Amino acid sequence: MEKTSGAQTNLSAYNNDWYQPGSYTKQAIWYVLNRLFIYTHIPYPSAFKVALLRVFGAKIGRGVVIKPKVNIKYPWFLHIGNHVWIGEEVWIDNLTLVTVESNACLSQGAMLLTGNHNYRKSAFDLIVKPITLGPGSWIGAKATVCPGVQVGSHALLTVGSVATSHLEAYGIYQGNPAKFIKTRTITS
């Protein structure tokens, strides 16, 4: 038996006028340059990609590696520490601030999603929440970090897992939704 509150989704009422991520001109120019130089299989040097991202407002440290086919929504909402690795086909869908602290790794196809929709509202309102990846954290291949999640220092989200809540420091998390499996031990 289906339970219902009587209300229904009404996408014609959707309105995100409150969300202003930057001027249309800035977004359009970034879209073209992102497609040409970042979100491409052409292996431009990481230093070139970092410089381009900085021109558009990203705050990026030293020694950052950005592999081919990375998609970054808005670089002006991106803070990256030193010696961060960003693998092929990573999608940083940063409708608001994404912070990736030093020595963190995003493996191939990882997704950082800062936006979603409120399924409780008939107009499907947009929700945006920042993401923080702590120092030394590792987001495995094809893993997803959802809006508002904080990944603790050296935490690990395993391949294909989905983080819907905070990940504690040095924890290894697996599954959908990701659950704590064990403590990460790092040796020298």
Side-chain angles (χ1 to χ4, degrees):
M1 175 172 246
E2 183 178 325
K3 286 188 175 185
T4 177
S5 68
Q8 296 181 352
T9 302
N10 178 9
L11 296 181
S12 69
Y14 179 77
N15 182 339
N16 69 340
D17 288 345
W18 63 269
Y19 180 70
Q20 300 295 325
S23 74
Y24 176 76
T25 303
K26 182 178 183 179
Q27 290 179 57
I29 292 168
W30 171 248
Y31 178 80
V32 171
L33 294 177
N34 183 44
R35 191 66 182 96
L36 290 173
F37 301 112
I38 310 288
Y39 188 47
T40 176
H41 284 293
I42 299 171
Y44 292 107
S46 290
F48 171 74
K49 295 175 191 180
V50 166
L52 181 60
L53 288 163
R54 285 179 178 150
V55 166
F56 278 84
K59 293 178 173 69
I60 303 178
R62 300 177 320 279
V64 172
V65 174
I66 303 173
K67 294 292 188 173
K69 201 68 173 169
V70 170
N71 193 7
I72 298 170
K73 178 78 83 176
Y74 300 129
W76 46 94
F77 292 144
L78 185 61
H79 295 177
I80 298 176
N82 298 320
H83 307 289
V84 168
W85 292 355
I86 301 176
E88 291 180 87
E89 298 186 5
V90 164
W91 180 15
I92 301 176
D93 191 24
N94 56 332
L95 299 172
T96 190
L97 184 62
V98 166
T99 302
V100 182
E101 296 185 27
S102 295
N103 298 299
C105 177
L106 287 91
S107 292
Q108 304 86 332
M111 296 175 62
L112 305 181
L113 304 174
T114 61
N116 204 343
H117 295 276
N118 189 343
Y119 65 87
R120 292 179 186 96
K121 298 285 190 172
S122 66
F124 216 47
D125 297 352
L126 178 65
I127 301 169
V128 296
K129 295 180 183 178
I131 290 173
T132 300
L133 305 183
S137 59
W138 180 10
I139 307 305
K142 303 286 187 180
T144 301
V145 178
C146 293
V149 171
Q150 295 179 15
V151 177
S153 172
H154 297 86
L156 166 58
L157 182 63
T158 64
V159 172
S161 296
V162 179
T164 58
S165 59
H166 300 327
L167 308 184
E168 297 298 321
Y170 289 90
I172 297 176
Y173 293 81
Q174 182 177 39
N176 181 7
K179 302 289 185 202
F180 175 82
I181 302 300
K182 62 182 177 178
T183 300
R184 181 179 180 189
T185 303
I186 300 173
T187 60
S188 54

